[in-house]
Amino acid sequence: MTASIPAQSRRRMVARAELAGSALCFGLMAILARKLTMPGMGFSAGHLAVLRFVVGALASLAAFALIPGLYRPSNYRLLVTRGISGGAVVVLYFYALAHIPAGEAGILYNVFPVIAVAMSLAIFKERPTIHLWLAILAASLGVVLVLGQGHLGLGLGLGRGELAALAAAVFAATSANAIRAARHTENAATIFFYFCLAGLPVVLPFALSPWPGLLHGGLAAWGLAVLMSLLALSGQMLMSEAYGVLSVSEAAVWLQLLPIVQYLLAMPMLGERATAAGLAGVLITVAGVAYGTVLGHRARA
């Protein structure tokens, strides 16, 4: 028993590093998605969602062929549920990124870790410590400062882009709990494959408009789109692995790093400028994550 405790602690540290890596991958993915849906690039939110699932499914099939025994589905209903909810997240968030500023979409979408924790109270009977609640609150406040530049910047009414981001948050919270439940019987690779397989029919109707060609600069855009899909694959795999160890509430704290990474990457990649409120938000979020990591777990008996 005493020998297993250090091993569990090391695994938790690895899981936290996996979520940090997932945030980096998803942050880069969001930057590229925003760039690819700008006028002149030719991609719509539906195009990117379909490409993301197709690339992910093909990569999964290649991995299953190379590694015998990697494909081990058990709970098909849970796997399909995760795929359908994940498909809704992808197309809704890409739609939001294409129609409203990235910061505004990020603020609305980033409520999903809090929704996921609320869901976990009923589904898994998780009871986050007061330290974890404080960490989530502090990290969320930092994210609002970062993405809102010191204010929310939202009007009194919600348009289609804002509603899409909020709907994506609800489906993302559902997906987070589905991944956590599936990790009891499924490995990360199998969960990701069904995410692509069941999510593809959800997003396909949104990609019926003409796709961009390969000529006149189209090849470079397609290269970025494939890179975006591979980054999404890496982010999903790392997140699924982490959910095999961490509770939904602790993972929620680390998931707050995603918009921070996105904000920092947008400066060199999209030419966005840092502000005092944004930098203060970065510090508050990082402090909240550190606080939740050090004090958020329950002491073992």
Side-chain angles (χ1 to χ4, degrees):
M1 182 65 178
T2 56
S4 65
I5 292 177
Q8 291 173 1
S9 297
R10 286 194 297 270
R11 185 66 190 95
R12 292 173 70 86
M13 291 302 297
V14 170
R16 292 163 183 159
E18 288 169 343
L19 282 179
S22 175
L24 177 60
C25 292
F26 281 133
L28 285 168
M29 180 212 73
I31 295 295
L32 292 179
R34 177 67 176 165
K35 189 177 185 67
L36 288 165
T37 52
M38 288 180 175
M41 298 299 288
F43 283 96
S44 68
H47 294 153
L48 296 180
V50 168
L51 187 61
R52 174 178 171 176
F53 284 133
V54 169
V55 170
L58 292 176
S60 297
L61 290 173
F64 295 150
L66 293 172
I67 307 175
L70 184 62
Y71 178 66
R72 300 194 309 269
S74 176
N75 191 332
Y76 289 96
R77 184 172 66 176
L78 192 56
L79 288 169
V80 171
T81 299
R82 188 275 178 272
I84 293 174
S85 64
V89 173
V90 171
V91 73
L92 286 168
Y93 188 49
F94 282 174
Y95 181 88
L97 285 172
H99 289 83
I100 60 176
E104 188 174 332
I107 290 174
L108 294 170
Y109 175 71
N110 204 65
V111 302
F112 90 84
V114 180
I115 299 174
V117 173
M119 288 181 176
S120 73
L121 299 179
I123 297 173
F124 302 113
K125 308 301 180 183
E126 291 185 0
R127 292 296 179 265
T129 65
I130 185 63
H131 297 295
L132 268 181
W133 281 118
L134 290 173
I136 292 172
L137 179 63
S140 299
L141 173 62
V143 168
V144 170
L145 286 173
V146 169
L147 299 181
Q149 304 301 301
H151 57 85
L152 283 176
L154 299 177
L156 294 177
L158 294 177
R160 289 180 298 175
E162 289 84 1
L163 290 174
L166 284 173
V170 175
F171 281 109
T174 304
S175 293
N177 282 280
I179 294 172
R180 174 65 174 153
R183 287 294 281 124
H184 291 293
T185 57
E186 320 292 340
N187 60 37
T190 303
I191 293 173
F192 177 75
F193 176 64
Y194 275 87
F195 165 61
C196 298
L197 195 65
L200 186 57
V202 176
V203 301
L204 197 58
F206 300 93
L208 300 180
S209 59
W211 285 63
L214 295 175
L215 300 178
H216 308 296
L219 186 60
W222 272 92
L224 288 177
V226 171
L227 177 59
M228 181 219 69
S229 302
L230 294 175
L231 287 167
L233 183 158
S234 301
Q236 285 289 344
M237 288 293 294
L238 289 169
M239 184 174 67
S240 295
E241 284 288 349
Y243 269 118
V245 178
L246 302 180
S247 65
V248 174
S249 54
E250 184 173 354
V253 178
W254 280 83
L255 287 170
Q256 302 288 7
L257 290 176
L258 170 56
I260 300 301
V261 172
Q262 183 175 330
Y263 171 76
L264 295 175
L265 290 175
M267 288 186 282
M269 299 184 69
L270 295 178
E272 298 183 4
R273 303 180 66 179
T275 64
L279 294 176
V282 171
L283 294 176
I284 292 173
T285 301
V286 172
V289 172
Y291 177 83
T293 300
V294 174
L295 299 176
H297 65 281
R298 294 186 181 278
R300 293 185 177 87

